[in-house]
Amino acid sequence: MKSEPEEFSIDDLQAMPEQTEHWDGVRNYQARNMMRDQMKIGDLVFFYHSNCQTPGIVGIMKVVRESYPDFTAFDVNDKHYDAKSDPDQPRWFMVDIQFVRKLDRTISLTELKTCPELETMPLVCRGNRLSIMPVTQQQWDFILSLEDKG
DNA sequence: GCCAACGTTGGC
DNA sequence: GCCAACGTTGGC
């Protein structure tokens, strides 16, 4: 899952009560579907910092609540307000995630792009803008194996 | 700040 | 349903 650290970083997550926060503001159907249909309690997730000095994977978190309506879409004063999302027929959903740990180092996008093992990951594919994407078990294990290198 | 890539909107 | 215009994302 991607977030701009200036908006919400891994440190912000760690500082939350219970180290838990809802992942609001997703306004992309593919990403929504991922949260709504795939993400289950206990699933582990990489936290990716985007649009910053060193974009890359910075930590691990886990799903602690499965999808429910993203209430920020109903709030006209919220940055992520969407008039087309009705409380009776919500268009957008979110999950709650909890901090697990920070990686010992940031595994940068630049580094990820050099790994043949990861070339099928949406993240490193040209022009990808998905803010939430699946990671296979193999990719997960490989990425974690990078943590102790470099 | 630039701009390529992509999603969404809306006229037809 | 097509597609041009427009807005957003996000790496660089």
Side-chain angles (χ1 to χ4, degrees):
Chain A
M1 298 175 100
K2 295 184 190 176
S3 178
E4 302 188 15
E6 294 213 355
E7 289 290 320
F8 186 74
S9 71
I10 183 94
D11 292 324
D12 293 330
L13 177 61
Q14 189 171 13
M16 297 298 294
E18 313 272 325
Q19 300 188 322
T20 297
E21 179 61 302
H22 48 264
W23 202 266
D24 64 272
V26 171
R27 298 290 180 269
N28 170 282
Y29 289 103
Q30 259 185 284
R32 177 205 67 182
N33 293 349
M34 217 91 62
M35 286 195 296
R36 191 189 55 188
D37 307 333
Q38 314 253 50
M39 299 181 69
K40 302 298 176 194
I41 286 180
D43 284 354
L44 295 177
V45 181
F46 282 132
F47 195 132
Y48 177 94
H49 279 178
S50 67
N51 208 6
C52 56
Q53 186 157 17
T54 307
I57 296 169
V58 295
I60 296 174
M61 50 200 180
K62 68 179 175 185
V63 178
V64 292
R65 181 177 173 186
E66 290 173 18
S67 76
Y68 59 105
D70 181 343
F71 50 76
T72 65
F74 310 141
D75 179 358
V76 288
N77 295 316
D78 195 279
K79 175 181 177 182
H80 300 293
Y81 173 68
D82 182 358
K84 294 173 187 160
S85 188
D86 189 291
D88 294 328
Q89 190 104 34
R91 174 177 296 207
W92 305 115
F93 291 83
M94 59 189 176
V95 297
D96 287 358
I97 44 100
Q98 183 174 48
F99 177 86
V100 173
R101 71 177 178 91
K102 288 209 251 186
L103 299 187
D104 295 338
R105 66 186 186 92
T106 297
I107 300 177
S108 71
L109 177 63
T110 310
E111 179 176 355
L112 296 170
K113 280 181 170 171
T114 66
C115 302
E117 293 87 346
L118 303 176
E119 64 189 9
T120 60
M121 276 194 89
L123 183 68
V124 302
C125 293
R126 191 174 60 122
N128 176 71
R129 290 177 1 192
L130 256 190
S131 61
I132 299 177
M133 65 184 73
V135 180
T136 68
Q137 185 69 53
Q138 288 82 357
Q139 289 162 349
W140 179 276
D141 293 340
F142 178 78
I143 289 167
L144 278 186
S145 79
L146 296 174
E147 188 181 9
D148 297 326
K149 302 174 186 171

